Amino acid sequence: TLIQTDASINPGNSGGALLTITGEVIGINSGKVKGTGIEGMGYAIPISKASPIIADLMEHQTRTEKVAEEDIGYMGISPQDVTGQMAQTYGMPQGVYVYSVEENSAAEAAGMRKGDIIVKIDGQRISSYADLKTIMQYYSAGETVTIVVQRFEGGEYEPHDLEITFGRREK
């Protein structure tokens, strides 16, 4: 759902605030329709939809420095992608399927199980093993974060928050 507006939105300048006459933010301009016979038709995302995302972004710590390769945190799982096509075909969430969990690993200590599907790490969406590897470059052994897994229970996938303290990969 969007708010239709006749506020002037220049091409390439969407994304600004949609304000009331008293200066209250009611939306974020997201696009403009143009064509023959159409003039000044713009659309905005309602602030009620944008506020939770904005709040989450403000509280989320952006990591900008990668950890030295020998210090990267280790979970102790065998991962497998759940692609969009697999998710649709088998009714699974898209993410990283946990094919196995190593004994005495950080994943085991956190309560991760074979068959769990990792969908978030520290609030960041995980859609593939490539996403997981990229994100893990910013977390060192010994750090504790929340991982969200989808676990198949009672005929459907249910989210579970797991606190994991990353281990160190043995050489």
Side-chain angles (χ1 to χ4, degrees):
T1 54
L2 297 171
I3 300 170
Q4 184 176 339
T5 179
D6 62 356
S8 179
I9 303 173
N10 295 322
N13 286 342
S14 60
L18 179 64
L19 307 170
T20 65
I21 198 160
T22 60
E24 178 185 15
V25 177
I26 60 169
I28 304 208
N29 295 316
S30 62
K32 174 184 177 175
V33 176
K34 72 178 189 178
T36 307
I38 302 171
E39 188 175 325
M41 191 154 46
Y43 294 93
I45 300 166
I47 198 65
S48 60
K49 298 275 188 202
S51 287
I53 296 165
I54 293 167
D56 186 48
L57 289 171
M58 289 177 65
E59 291 180 19
H60 187 75
Q61 176 186 359
T62 301
R63 293 176 179 251
T64 56
E65 292 187 33
K66 292 181 181 179
V67 175
E69 191 169 338
E70 63 273 9
D71 295 329
I72 292 175
Y74 183 68
M75 282 192 264
I77 62 166
S78 295
Q80 182 176 345
D81 279 343
V82 177
T83 64
Q85 185 175 355
M86 289 172 65
Q88 187 174 11
T89 302
Y90 300 110
M92 303 167 78
Q94 188 172 351
V96 175
Y97 181 84
V98 178
Y99 189 75
S100 67
V101 178
E102 294 175 14
E103 279 189 44
N104 302 317
S105 66
E108 183 183 62
M112 200 173 294
R113 302 178 189 167
K114 176 181 178 174
D116 284 349
I117 299 173
I118 301 169
V119 295
K120 280 187 182 180
I121 292 183
D122 199 20
Q124 298 176 72
R125 178 83 178 101
I126 303 292
S127 298
S128 66
Y129 180 53
D131 289 348
L132 178 64
K133 283 175 45 177
T134 298
I135 288 171
M136 288 302 296
Q137 294 176 40
Y138 296 90
Y139 293 89
S140 61
E143 282 191 75
T144 302
V145 299
T146 300
I147 292 184
V148 178
V149 299
Q150 292 279 346
R151 184 173 288 160
F152 193 73
E153 296 177 324
E156 61 186 15
Y157 283 92
E158 297 286 337
H160 291 270
D161 291 355
L162 305 176
E163 293 292 317
I164 186 167
T165 302
F166 296 122
R168 188 173 303 281
R169 181 183 295 269
E170 302 217 5
K171 297 181 182 185

